[in-house]
Amino acid sequence: MSRKPFEQLNFADDGMFQTVMKNPEASAELVERLLGVRVKGVKYPKLEKKIAPYYATKGVRLDVYLKDVDKIIDVELQTYEMDALGKRTRYYQSMVDIDSLMKGEDYSELKDSYILFICTFDPFHDEKKEPCGLYRYTFRNVCEENSLVNLDDKCLKVVYNASAYEKAEDPKVRALLRFIQTNEPGEDPFAKQLEDFVVKARANEKFKREYLAMNLHDRDMMKIGEREGIEMGRQEKALETARSFLAMNSLTPEQIAQGTGLSLDKVLELQKELAAERAAPAN
């Protein structure tokens, strides 16, 4: 996915959202509007060193990781369709909890946790693959046999569909979602403040250098992936060709290795596999 030119970045764009949300007051206001919880103070904790590598390994990076006096909040903004949203929230939740436990907290000391996803599209569809159409989806762990029984694990997952901002009853929520979806702040003071932060960020040379460096890094990773994919395709084709020649029994393993570019050991390994398949009794 190509990135926008720096000068065209809006609040919802990757990089800009994280930069604006480094402002504690902006983060607190956004969380209070969308989660309806009071935020007393915002900290930006660093992940435990033993946990942080798993984010890179799994291709997951927390957008905004906040810590309040009595709660931990992960805020994610998604502008494109993604697979397995439910499992993503589960994985984010597990990483947040493990991070807390590795910093010395006991199970009973785990803070209330909130996983907040803000999407610019409807991430949920019915059995006919039609969008469900809600502007907000709230998930808690409740008992199937009795919905009044709550597991009380102090974990809440909320997913917003900003494209349905007009359905939001709360005018503050509606104004914020409208700004995220359309980039039009309207008359809402907070949306105007966020827009001001965006304008200031575009004038920040340090942020510009970081964004362009990230862009180059992403391009390099894409090129590496493309090269690896091409190489993998060549390898699979070579293996397929070697198997065909071995099945015909018309060339020596040395000749096959030379013709396909595979090592002689690999060709001999394929020869053994093919012999084992032939010797195996038919079902």
Side-chain angles (χ1 to χ4, degrees):
M1 179 181 299
S2 60
R3 288 177 176 268
K4 276 186 178 181
F6 180 80
E7 295 75 14
Q8 297 178 14
L9 288 181
N10 295 322
F11 175 71
D13 290 319
D14 190 37
M16 182 61 79
F17 174 69
Q18 293 88 342
T19 297
V20 173
M21 287 294 97
K22 287 179 182 177
N23 181 291
E25 289 76 19
S27 293
E29 175 70 15
L30 182 141
V31 167
E32 289 183 355
R33 283 199 183 194
L34 297 184
L35 291 180
V37 296
R38 179 67 177 167
V39 179
K40 300 176 182 177
V42 172
K43 294 182 180 180
Y44 299 89
K46 291 185 178 180
L47 296 174
E48 173 67 33
K49 290 182 179 179
K50 294 181 181 178
I51 294 297
Y54 288 97
Y55 288 93
T57 301
K58 294 294 183 183
V60 173
R61 172 177 51 80
L62 300 183
D63 279 352
V64 183
Y65 181 38
L66 310 175
K67 188 174 183 179
D68 190 14
V69 176
D70 57 352
K71 62 182 72 71
I72 292 177
I73 306 160
D74 170 37
V75 185
E76 304 293 325
L77 199 156
Q78 292 287 334
T79 59
Y80 56 89
E81 296 280 354
M82 56 191 156
D83 295 328
L85 175 61
K87 290 183 178 180
R88 279 176 177 263
T89 63
R90 171 180 161 187
Y91 180 72
Y92 283 39
Q93 177 63 54
S94 67
M95 287 292 101
V96 168
D97 286 343
I98 291 173
D99 184 51
S100 296
L101 291 173
M102 290 195 71
K103 289 176 178 174
E105 292 186 13
D106 186 68
Y107 291 110
S108 61
E109 298 173 328
L110 284 175
K111 298 179 184 296
D112 293 6
S113 68
Y114 298 81
I115 307 296
L116 171 61
F117 268 77
I118 309 167
C119 302
T120 57
F121 54 91
D122 194 334
F124 298 106
H125 298 77
D126 58 23
E127 63 278 1
K128 296 181 180 179
K129 298 184 178 181
E130 294 293 329
C132 292
L134 300 179
Y135 78 92
R136 181 179 61 211
Y137 301 86
T138 305
F139 301 92
R140 300 179 189 271
N141 288 323
V142 299
C143 177
E144 286 191 1
E145 288 76 13
N146 184 346
S147 60
L148 297 178
V149 178
N150 193 307
L151 188 60
D152 197 29
D153 57 357
K154 305 301 181 184
C155 173
L156 181 70
K157 300 180 179 70
V158 178
V159 180
Y160 273 93
N161 165 23
S163 67
Y165 65 86
E166 293 179 344
K167 296 182 180 180
E169 300 91 349
D170 187 325
K172 289 186 176 182
V173 172
R174 184 167 60 248
L176 178 55
L177 294 180
R178 178 179 181 272
F179 173 62
I180 292 171
Q181 185 69 25
T182 67
N183 196 43
E184 297 175 3
E187 298 302 318
D188 182 69
F190 181 52
K192 288 183 177 180
Q193 183 183 39
L194 293 177
E195 177 63 16
D196 288 341
F197 285 141
V198 170
V199 173
K200 290 178 181 177
R202 289 201 202 106
N204 187 311
E205 287 298 321
K206 182 175 182 292
F207 171 48
K208 183 176 182 179
R209 290 194 300 270
E210 291 174 350
Y211 179 82
L212 295 177
M214 185 171 22
N215 200 359
L216 289 173
H217 176 267
D218 287 351
R219 288 181 184 176
D220 288 342
M221 291 299 100
M222 288 178 64
K223 288 179 181 177
I224 291 172
E226 289 173 358
R227 286 199 297 268
E228 289 180 348
I230 292 172
E231 185 58 35
M232 187 178 297
R234 288 174 179 167
Q235 182 78 357
E236 291 176 354
K237 184 64 177 177
L239 291 171
E240 181 183 341
T241 301
R243 274 184 159 271
S244 298
F245 282 134
L246 287 169
M248 291 188 293
N249 200 28
S250 58
L251 298 173
T252 66
E254 289 80 5
Q255 290 172 321
I256 295 174
Q258 184 176 3
T260 61
L262 298 173
S263 67
L264 179 57
D265 288 342
K266 186 62 181 179
V267 174
L268 292 174
E269 180 186 332
L270 290 173
Q271 189 178 49
K272 289 180 180 179
E273 291 177 1
L274 191 59
E277 291 173 5
R278 287 171 173 171
N283 293 332

